[in-house]
């Protein structure tokens, strides 16, 4: 039977039956493991890490490089399974360069395989794929995300209690709105990223460089993120494009804000849904949250009001930098203009970031007329695929107008 190769981010349906996931690694001793996660993206207990010392749990088993998941036996409170391959910790300095190959087999269905792009940043762990529930069945998504934090760091992100060196314990993160009145130097923020979220260290460095180049490294701001949850965005959520975008905004927040947390508001057809993405929970966070939100029709004004309300309630003294991702024209254009005008005196800066396949002329032309200029508004076109924009150019687009607005 012919095998079909999956692209990174692609997903396919599975039968509710045993599925075999075989991992092949070239030139590196590696261990394969699996994580059983609840709807919150975390394990229910430490037993949900399935690996060579605990080879079976609730229908999921490990035998060398092979994971077998009997989807009929997986408990209802398990929302997804993550397949992970990690460099053998007994080989100091071992990292992935060539990406592992994942083969996916189910009786009666065509064979599938997935090979992620090769790695170049010292990755020691790769999340190869995730199996997740969807509309009463199961699907599998090709992930191919590498991390440099080791299996222990990845397990901790998913809620597994692992032993760590005494000096590696992460300091508690401040809560939103409790800001240090003394500016925190960027090196402190970057050391926090390296300790808590090493996978974001490279984009955080690029974000910090963008701030340094614009002489605003000592400026603090409460960073917010509004995400378009219209139906036309479904493909971009499924392909991890929105998750990747949120991670880059979080990396900027780590060098601009001081609490490692970005409040996220989903703009949909009903009441806006507000949650947060943090340095210690960001992996897969957007995918976990957006499934709790109905698809909508461009109701961005309500989402903007929700973000401003949260900012005012927090009592923050620093300005708000609200990154608003938009994929199409709003239907409430008059309301959006009114909100922009009314928030100018509140210390709120709006950056509309366009990506998707819709029309964006309204946002592009907000400051086109000299008689209707908004001093606290800018637009950045991140293209249909913001993931293809290099970090240096991406962060320049994010902070250029904000830096100008900050200067007296």
């Amino acid at each position: 039977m012919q095998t079909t190769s999956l692209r990174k981010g692609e997903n396919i349906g599975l039968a509710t039956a045993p599925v075999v996931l075989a991992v092949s690694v070239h030139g590196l001793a590696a261990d394969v493991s699996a994580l059983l996660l609840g709807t919150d993206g975390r394990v229910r207990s430490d037993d949900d890490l399935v690996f060579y010392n605990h080879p079976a749990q609730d229908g999921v088993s490990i035998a060398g490089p092979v994971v077998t998941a009997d989807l009929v036996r997986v408990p209802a409170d398990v929302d997804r399974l993550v397949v992970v391959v990690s460099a053998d910790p007994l080989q100091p300095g071992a990292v992935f360069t060539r990406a592992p190959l994942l083969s996916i087999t189910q009786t009666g269905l065509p064979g599938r395989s997935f090979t992620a792009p090769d790695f170049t940043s010292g990755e020691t762990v790769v999340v190869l794929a995730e199996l997740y529930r969807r509309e009463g069945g199961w699907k599998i998504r090709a992930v191919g995300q590498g991390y440099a934090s080791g299996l222990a760091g990845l397990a901790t992100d998913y809620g597994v209690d692992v032993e760590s060196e005494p000096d590696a314990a992460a300091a508690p993160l401040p809560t939103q709105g409790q800001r240090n009145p003394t500016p925190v130097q960027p090196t402190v923020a970057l050391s926090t990223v390296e300790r808590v979220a090493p996978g974001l260290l490279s984009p955080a460095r690029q974000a910090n460089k963008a701030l340094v180049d614009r002489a605003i490294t000592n400026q603090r701001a409460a960073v917010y993120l509004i995400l378009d949850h219209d139906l036309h965005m479904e493909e971009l959520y499924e392909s991890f494009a929105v998750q990747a975008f949120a991670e880059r905004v979080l990396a900027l927040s780590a060098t601009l804000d001081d609490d490692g947390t970005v409040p996220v508001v989903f703009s949909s057809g009903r009441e806006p849904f507000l949650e947060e993405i943090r340095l210690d929970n960001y992996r897969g966070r957007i995918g976990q949250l957006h499934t709790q939100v109905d698809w909508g029709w461009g109701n961005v004004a309500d989402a903007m009001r929700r973000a401003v309300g949260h900012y005012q309630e927090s009592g923050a003294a620093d300005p708000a930098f609200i990154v608003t991702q938009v994929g199409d024209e709003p239907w409430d254009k008059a309301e959006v203009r009114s909100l922009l005008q009314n928030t100018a005196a509140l210390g709120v800066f709006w950056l509309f970031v366009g990506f998707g396949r819709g029309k964006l002329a309204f946002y592009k032309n907000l400051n086109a007329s000299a008689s209707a200029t908004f001093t606290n508004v800018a637009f950045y076109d991140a293209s249909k695929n913001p993931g293809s924009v290099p970090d240096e150019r991406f962060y320049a687009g994010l902070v250029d107008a904000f830096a100008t607005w900050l200067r007296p």
Side-chain angles (χ1 to χ4, degrees):
M1 189 176 291
Q2 187 176 4
T3 299
T4 302
S5 180
L6 299 178
R7 299 184 303 272
K8 183 174 180 176
E10 187 175 358
N11 61 76
I12 58 170
L14 295 171
T16 306
V19 56
V20 177
L21 305 120
V23 180
S24 177
V25 181
H26 297 282
L28 179 69
D31 298 315
V32 175
S33 55
L35 289 152
L36 286 69
L37 308 177
T39 55
D40 61 353
R42 299 174 72 81
V43 297
R44 302 163 301 167
S45 73
D46 291 351
D47 289 339
D48 283 345
L49 173 59
V50 184
F51 66 117
Y52 54 86
N53 276 342
H54 176 60
Q57 178 72 29
D58 288 340
V60 180
S61 61
I62 295 280
V66 178
V67 178
T68 300
D70 187 346
L71 300 180
V72 174
R73 295 177 53 208
V74 175
D77 60 348
V78 173
D79 183 65
R80 62 188 61 209
L81 312 171
V82 178
V83 179
V84 177
V85 58
S86 54
D88 187 344
L90 297 180
Q91 287 189 317
V95 298
F96 287 99
T97 53
R98 294 184 62 185
L101 168 68
L102 176 67
S103 299
I104 306 156
T105 306
Q106 263 195 320
T107 301
L109 293 180
R112 306 278 182 166
S113 67
F114 167 59
T115 303
D118 288 340
F119 300 106
T120 59
S121 301
E123 289 86 350
T124 58
V125 172
V126 179
V127 175
L128 283 177
E130 65 171 4
L131 289 72
Y132 59 99
R133 296 184 188 273
R134 181 57 57 89
E135 297 178 351
W138 285 89
K139 301 185 79 172
I140 185 169
R141 177 181 291 117
V143 179
Q145 179 66 56
Y147 301 97
S149 56
L151 182 58
L154 185 73
T156 301
D157 284 342
Y158 286 120
V160 181
D161 186 14
V162 297
E163 293 182 2
S164 59
E165 297 299 323
D167 60 353
L173 296 173
T175 57
Q176 181 80 12
Q178 297 178 340
R179 291 178 167 77
N180 190 332
T182 303
V184 180
Q185 295 301 316
T187 52
V188 176
L190 289 176
S191 67
T192 300
V193 175
E194 186 172 19
R195 185 182 68 246
V196 181
L200 294 181
L201 183 58
S202 178
R205 283 174 173 158
Q206 287 291 338
N208 181 60
K209 181 179 183 300
L211 300 179
V212 170
D213 290 347
R214 289 152 186 83
I216 55 171
T217 54
N218 288 330
Q219 176 65 55
R220 287 291 177 237
V223 178
Y224 284 77
L225 177 61
I226 294 176
L227 294 174
D228 186 349
H229 204 258
D230 286 9
L231 189 57
H232 63 79
M233 289 291 298
E234 184 176 14
E235 180 184 346
L236 294 171
Y237 278 92
E238 291 288 342
S239 68
F240 288 96
V242 182
Q243 170 72 34
F245 175 72
E247 290 180 10
R248 292 171 107 179
V249 173
L250 179 62
L252 172 64
S253 169
T255 62
L256 191 59
D257 209 332
D258 70 354
D259 62 1
T261 299
V262 174
V264 179
V265 184
F266 289 87
S267 168
S268 67
R270 298 190 179 181
E271 183 176 349
F273 178 70
L274 185 146
E275 255 294 346
E276 61 184 29
I277 183 171
R278 306 190 307 267
L279 292 177
D280 62 351
N281 77 350
Y282 73 93
R283 291 194 178 100
R285 180 69 168 164
I286 299 303
Q288 297 157 14
L289 293 176
H290 97 88
T291 57
Q292 304 175 47
V293 187
D294 291 331
W295 296 108
W297 309 277
N299 195 3
V300 67
D302 278 353
M304 292 169 65
R305 275 191 289 268
R306 184 73 178 91
V308 172
H310 184 279
Y311 169 65
Q312 291 179 303
E313 291 165 8
S314 75
D318 300 314
F321 182 21
I322 304 182
V323 179
T324 306
Q325 179 266 317
V326 290
D328 205 349
E329 302 274 83
W331 58 263
D332 45 2
K333 296 177 182 178
E335 278 193 85
V336 172
R337 290 193 185 94
S338 178
L339 275 164
L340 297 177
Q341 186 175 23
N342 293 339
T343 56
L346 298 179
V348 175
F349 182 85
W350 300 94
L351 177 68
F352 293 100
V353 179
F355 74 83
R357 294 170 174 78
K359 298 178 181 179
L360 300 170
F362 169 79
Y363 299 105
K364 292 179 179 179
N365 295 325
L366 277 170
N367 283 324
S369 170
S371 61
T373 298
F374 299 98
T375 59
N376 61 326
V377 176
F379 175 79
Y380 171 52
D381 189 345
S383 80
K384 292 182 179 179
N385 178 20
S388 66
V389 180
D391 279 342
E392 184 176 3
R393 183 151 55 92
F394 178 83
Y395 286 115
L398 250 60
V399 303
D400 267 344
F402 178 64
T404 301
W405 176 74
L406 285 174
R407 298 189 188 103

